[in-house]
């Protein structure tokens, strides 16, 4: 479909000046508005109907289905779930053909004297509780509507040049929340004023039978609210204490960023064990999905604590300031992921900082979480062959990698390893300026601007280095490139040491890891026998070259017995402890497909869990970083 040059502005060339793109208001366009009627009545039955009326001219037409989904960093528009696609003009069905190279492009010939094309499709809602916004999104009681799944649009326009007039039919009596402005409800139909394609895709709608709205900044402008849809009424019961922490989360972004780039903000929170779990950022909202009991069960609450802070940070880092390569002006032009260690990595770091400052995790829990991350990346063997930069560059396929051999292949490590990289940046700014400046100063400068309606300012690696130099002059390019490009750099231990702490291992479980294991039904033992297990003994991953690896264990095998006893997590942990005082190996009965065999793990170091301890050789910057900035 590359026969004619698309009318898109290419932003990937080096850019000296900042580029501002208005993304909220309809731009001048030669194409009239596209009417879009979406019927979600059948969402519990796992399909949604979409009807479009598009102004057209006679002749050949190429239509696109959104391919590169903002925030997902890969070409994963769920075209596989489009069914019943039908094009009609003047009451007659039109033939169509898919482009043979470009699977997201449809070609058709518009007959003479045709001014309007009717497009109908059913979007099939995935039932698998994995994946991102195209993973499971609907249950009997709720639905997360992503508009990109329901539209085709003509080639040759930017997302800001195309205007849609959307309407939405809800299942009877359900409530909804969205950042899309101007909603008018009549019965179960919601009408919206015209919106650009960019703004529409940026504004998902959360619908539900069990629904609750929590105002976090009542009476203030801009407003902030959490819209919650859950699979039960009981799951909506956020405690007043937790509500207070979320109010503080909003407040703490004030001194951190200085200005807000949204008109109002909606956390769209889905609580269900029957949908895919992830968060997806938008300028004025976030699509946040987690376990049904995330607000009411303590282990689930701990596992959930960092989700909203991370997605909220993205309104500044990712949506407003965006790497030039991550702009796709028509959702079709490929994105480049090389700066995801900033887009996702700095967001991960600031999310952790805000989780601590807001009290969503207390100080000890924040220490334990950092210990978990530093231990994981300090011991990951895949770092010996794949650089942190390459995890970013390879994001398109690493997002879809399975858990098996993740420690050797590496996964999307540009999240948590970069958390340590940015902690090191923060500690280094503090050291260079005698604690007069910090990454907070960088954030206010880098993410500043007029504020208000959403906008995008792109940046390059060089822009980032200049912004750091303006806060504290230093060889920031060298600092970053060493940690990004070399193999197994000491970032985990250096980041801790430079912020005044060091890692230690003992037999006391790590509080955060323990809560995550309970919530996720896992058993995490990489620092002793080198295994990550599911609750039932299935081996998820084996530390490359660790004790389990040397015994011959591999992903997908299942441990059924430990030292002559039925497998349980406790039986395995007891066996690891008992092996400390003996030379006998730990005996495992393991099934590997059709084979049942005995594996001997020669390990005698006991249980080892990570924690951090104060290192008095360096100032305690970490606790200053975690300390709340508002009253
Ligand atoms: Zn993110």
């Amino acid at each position: 479909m590359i026969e004619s040059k698309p009318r898109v502005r290419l932003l990937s060339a080096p850019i000296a000046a900042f580029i501002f793109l208005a993304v909220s208001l309809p731009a001048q366009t030669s194409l009239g508005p596209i009417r879009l009627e979406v019927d979600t009545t059948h969402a519990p039955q796992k399909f949604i109907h979409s009807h479009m009326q598009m102004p057209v001219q006679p002749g050949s037409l190429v239509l696109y289905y959104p391919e590169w989904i903002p925030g997902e960093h890969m070409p994963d528009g769920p075209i596989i779930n489009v069914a019943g696609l039908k094009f009609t003009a003047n009451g007659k069905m039109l033939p169509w053909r898919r482009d043979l190279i470009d699977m997201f492009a449809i070609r058709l010939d518009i007959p003479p004297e045709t001014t309007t094309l009717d497009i109908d499709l059913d979007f099939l809602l995935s039932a698998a509780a994995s994946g991102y916004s195209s993973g499971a999104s609907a249950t009997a009681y709720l639905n997360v509507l992503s508009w990109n799944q329901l539209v085709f649009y003509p080639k040759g326009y930017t997302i800001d040049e195309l205007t849609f007039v959307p309407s939405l039919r809800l299942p009877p009596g359900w409530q909804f929340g969205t950042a899309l402005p101007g909603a008018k409800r009549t019965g179960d139909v919601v009408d919206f004023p015209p919106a650009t394609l960019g703004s529409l895709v940026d504004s998902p709608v959360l619908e539900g039978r069990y629904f609750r709205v929590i105002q976090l900044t009542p009476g203030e402008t801009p407003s902030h609210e959490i819209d919650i849809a859950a699979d039960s009424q009981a799951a909506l019961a956020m405690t007043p204490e937790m509500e207070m922490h979320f109010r503080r989360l909003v407040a703490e972004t004030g001194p951190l960023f200085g200005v807000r780039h949204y008109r109002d903000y909606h956390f769209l929170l889905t609580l269900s064990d029957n949908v895919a779990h992830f968060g997806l950022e938008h300028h004025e909202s976030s699509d946040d999905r987690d376990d049904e009991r995330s607000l009411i069960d303590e282990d689930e609450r701990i596992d959930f604590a960092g989700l909203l802070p991370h997605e909220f940070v993205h309104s500044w880092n990712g949506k407003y300031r965006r790497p030039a390569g991550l702009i796709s002006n028509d959702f079709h032009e490929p994105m480049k992921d090389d700066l995801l260690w900033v887009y996702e990595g700095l967001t991960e770091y600031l999310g952790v900082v805000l989780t601590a400052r807001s009290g969503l995790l207390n100080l000890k829990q924040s220490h334990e979480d950092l210990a978990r991350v530093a231990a994981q990346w300090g011991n990951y063997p895949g770092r010996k062959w794949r650089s942190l930069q390459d995890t970013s560059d390879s994001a398109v396929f690493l997002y879809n990698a399975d858990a098996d051999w993740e420690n050797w292949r590496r996964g999307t490590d540009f999240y948590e390893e970069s958390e340590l990289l940015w902690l090191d940046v923060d500690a280094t700014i503090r050291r260079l300026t005698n604690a007069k400046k910090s990454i907070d100063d960088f954030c206010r400068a880098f993410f500043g601007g007029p504020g208000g309606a959403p906008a995008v300012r792109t940046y390059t690696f060089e822009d980032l280095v200049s912004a750091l130099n303006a806060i504290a002059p230093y060889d920031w390019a060298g600092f970053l490139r060493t940690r990004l490009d070399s193999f197994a750099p000491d970032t985990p231990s250096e980041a801790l040491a430079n912020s005044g702490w060091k890692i230690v291992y003992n037999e006391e479980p790590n509080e955060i890891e323990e809560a995550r294991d309970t919530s996720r039904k896992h058993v995490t033992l990489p620092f002793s026998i080198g295994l990550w297990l599911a609750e039932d003994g299935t081996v998820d991953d084996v530390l490359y070259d660790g004790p389990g690896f040397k015994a011959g264990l591999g992903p997908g095998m299942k441990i059924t017995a430990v030292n002559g006893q039925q497998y349980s997590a406790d039986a395995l942990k007891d066996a690891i402890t008992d092996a400390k005082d003996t030379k006998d190996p730990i005996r495992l009965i393991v099934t590997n497909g059709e084979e049942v065999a005995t594996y001997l793990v020669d390990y005698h170091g006991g249980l080892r869990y990570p924690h951090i301890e104060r290192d008095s050789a360096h100032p305690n910057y970490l606790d200053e970083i975690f300390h709340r900035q508002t009253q």
Side-chain angles (χ1 to χ4, degrees):
M1 268 335 346
I2 26 191
E3 74 279 90
S4 65
K5 267 195 169 173
R7 292 171 45 217
V8 293
R9 290 188 294 264
L10 292 168
L11 290 177
S12 46
I15 293 159
F18 293 126
I19 290 185
F20 285 78
L21 297 173
V23 293
S24 54
L25 296 172
Q28 287 296 322
T29 164
S30 54
L31 189 78
I34 300 165
R35 175 110 200 117
L36 170 64
E37 292 167 9
V38 170
D39 182 352
T40 63
T41 322
H42 295 280
Q45 198 184 348
K46 304 292 192 286
F47 76 93
I48 296 175
H49 187 77
S50 170
H51 177 74
M52 268 163 282
Q53 285 186 309
M54 186 182 291
V56 288
Q57 291 176 346
S60 63
L61 177 68
V62 176
L63 296 177
Y64 282 153
Y65 186 71
E67 180 177 0
W68 287 83
I69 308 307
E72 301 199 351
H73 318 310
M74 55 187 156
D76 65 340
I79 197 159
I80 193 171
N81 287 344
V82 173
L85 184 59
K86 190 171 80 172
F87 300 97
T88 317
N90 301 323
K92 277 175 126 172
M93 241 176 107
L94 300 183
W96 56 273
R97 187 91 195 259
R98 188 181 308 280
D99 187 89
L100 293 180
I101 305 290
D102 186 348
M103 295 283 119
F104 288 77
I106 298 285
R107 292 159 168 255
L108 59 171
D109 288 315
I110 304 299
E113 292 169 31
T114 304
T115 55
T116 304
L117 177 68
D118 282 85
I119 308 173
D120 283 273
L121 66 89
D122 281 341
F123 183 75
L124 310 176
L125 289 161
S126 176
S130 60
Y132 301 95
S133 60
S134 57
S137 300
T139 75
Y141 306 115
L142 56 84
N143 177 45
V144 192
L145 179 82
S146 300
W147 297 99
N148 60 284
Q149 299 171 350
L150 300 154
V151 297
F152 278 86
Y153 57 98
K155 176 185 173 180
Y157 295 88
T158 70
I159 55 174
D160 301 319
E161 289 170 342
L162 291 164
T163 302
F164 282 75
V165 185
S167 79
L168 173 63
R169 180 176 286 278
L170 303 165
W174 284 21
Q175 297 179 65
F176 74 99
T178 181
L180 195 61
K184 277 212 181 77
R185 179 172 189 160
T186 313
D188 290 319
V189 175
V190 186
D191 287 296
F192 297 93
T196 63
L197 177 59
S199 168
L200 190 66
V201 170
D202 193 54
S203 310
V205 182
L206 178 60
E207 315 171 327
R209 174 172 164 190
Y210 302 111
F211 204 89
R212 184 179 175 198
V213 177
I214 297 175
Q215 298 289 346
L216 296 176
T217 49
E220 292 175 24
T221 306
S223 77
H224 299 78
E225 64 184 62
I226 309 184
D227 303 326
I228 315 174
D231 269 348
S232 67
Q233 185 68 33
L236 301 173
M238 186 187 291
T239 61
E241 190 191 8
M242 199 170 183
E243 201 175 313
M244 185 266 288
H245 293 312
F246 282 120
R247 285 177 202 276
R248 200 186 290 168
L249 167 64
V250 174
E252 285 290 336
T253 54
L256 182 59
F257 293 115
V259 63
R260 301 176 189 280
H261 308 283
Y262 47 80
R263 293 159 295 186
D264 49 40
Y265 193 89
H266 293 248
F267 294 97
L268 303 175
L269 177 57
T270 305
L271 300 174
S272 167
D273 298 339
N274 302 297
V275 300
H277 290 161
F278 65 91
L280 183 59
E281 63 276 16
H282 301 284
H283 283 271
E284 302 185 291
S285 63
S286 49
D287 171 1
D288 309 299
R289 313 185 192 183
D290 212 331
D291 297 319
E292 182 180 339
R293 299 179 66 81
S294 294
L295 305 184
I296 54 178
D297 176 282
E298 183 58 11
D299 290 321
E300 304 280 2
R301 193 193 66 73
I302 289 173
D303 198 11
F304 162 71
L307 178 61
L308 270 53
H310 177 103
E311 301 307 333
F312 192 30
V313 167
H314 270 315
S315 180
W316 291 266
N317 185 34
K319 303 311 291 189
Y320 172 56
R321 289 309 306 261
R322 199 175 312 169
L326 282 172
I327 299 280
S328 176
N329 281 297
D330 58 357
F331 298 149
H332 201 76
E333 180 193 346
M335 298 178 183
K336 299 183 193 73
D337 288 339
D338 56 313
L339 287 174
L340 280 183
W341 57 273
V342 192
Y343 182 120
E344 293 297 355
L346 177 56
T347 298
E348 189 71 13
Y349 175 63
L350 296 175
V352 164
V353 169
L354 287 169
T355 302
R357 289 183 185 175
S358 62
L360 284 160
L361 290 182
N362 64 36
L363 188 59
K364 175 170 177 287
Q365 290 168 335
S366 296
H367 288 168
E368 289 280 90
D369 194 40
L370 185 59
R372 177 187 69 75
V373 171
Q376 170 119 336
W377 270 270
N379 289 282
Y380 239 38
R383 297 176 77 246
K384 292 176 192 161
W385 75 269
R386 192 197 285 277
S387 66
L388 178 59
Q389 180 64 59
D390 191 60
T391 67
S392 238
D393 297 346
S394 310
V396 162
F397 58 83
L398 287 179
Y399 268 110
N400 291 317
D402 290 330
D404 54 318
W405 293 125
E406 185 178 282
N407 75 93
W408 185 227
R409 175 195 296 113
R410 302 199 75 173
T412 52
D413 302 1
F414 51 85
Y415 285 79
E416 286 193 339
E417 185 175 330
S418 304
E419 175 190 329
L420 301 163
L421 169 63
W422 286 101
L423 170 61
D424 210 357
V425 170
D426 199 351
T428 302
I429 295 174
R430 289 168 194 261
R431 176 174 61 77
L432 293 170
T433 62
N434 287 321
K436 290 199 171 55
K437 289 194 174 163
S438 71
I439 211 162
D440 297 39
D441 298 275
F442 165 81
C443 287
R444 280 189 295 278
F446 194 67
F447 299 110
V456 180
R457 279 174 72 194
T458 60
Y459 65 88
T460 62
F461 177 78
E462 289 71 27
D463 296 330
L464 184 75
V465 167
S466 311
L468 285 166
N469 267 315
I471 302 300
Y474 193 56
D475 176 21
W476 287 111
F479 177 101
L480 293 169
R481 294 270 43 117
T482 301
R483 287 156 179 81
L484 288 163
D485 298 334
S486 57
F487 300 112
D490 291 337
T491 312
S493 53
E494 286 173 2
L496 275 181
N498 291 337
S499 55
W501 294 73
K502 64 184 175 201
I503 198 150
V504 292
Y505 294 87
N506 59 37
E507 295 186 338
E508 192 66 33
N510 176 295
E511 183 184 345
I512 300 298
E513 202 165 77
E514 201 173 33
R516 284 163 63 103
D517 273 1
T518 307
S519 163
R520 300 176 186 202
K521 301 181 171 51
H522 283 175
V523 184
T524 302
L525 297 167
F527 312 117
S528 51
I529 54 170
L531 296 178
W532 289 265
L533 302 163
E535 200 177 38
D536 67 353
T538 301
V539 178
D540 286 336
D541 203 3
V542 179
L543 186 74
Y544 192 84
D545 234 7
F549 178 95
K550 287 175 180 156
L553 291 167
M557 296 181 186
K558 185 175 177 183
I559 304 174
T560 57
V562 182
N563 286 350
Q565 292 193 352
Q566 289 276 8
Y567 171 82
S568 70
D570 286 339
L572 180 59
K573 289 175 187 173
D574 288 348
I576 293 170
T577 301
D578 293 346
K580 272 200 316 181
D581 304 321
T582 161
K583 292 200 162 55
D584 297 336
I586 302 164
R587 297 175 67 84
L588 304 177
I589 307 289
V590 173
T591 62
N592 183 14
E594 300 304 314
E595 183 197 59
V596 180
T598 301
Y599 288 74
L600 304 176
V601 184
D602 193 16
Y603 171 74
H604 305 279
L607 289 164
R608 291 175 78 242
Y609 298 107
H611 307 279
I612 57 171
E613 235 174 48
R614 187 73 183 90
D615 174 359
S616 55
H618 301 271
N620 183 3
Y621 291 141
L622 184 66
D623 286 352
E624 288 174 29
I625 290 167
F626 283 163
H627 194 267
R628 62 189 281 201
Q629 305 293 303
T630 57
Q631 289 313 303

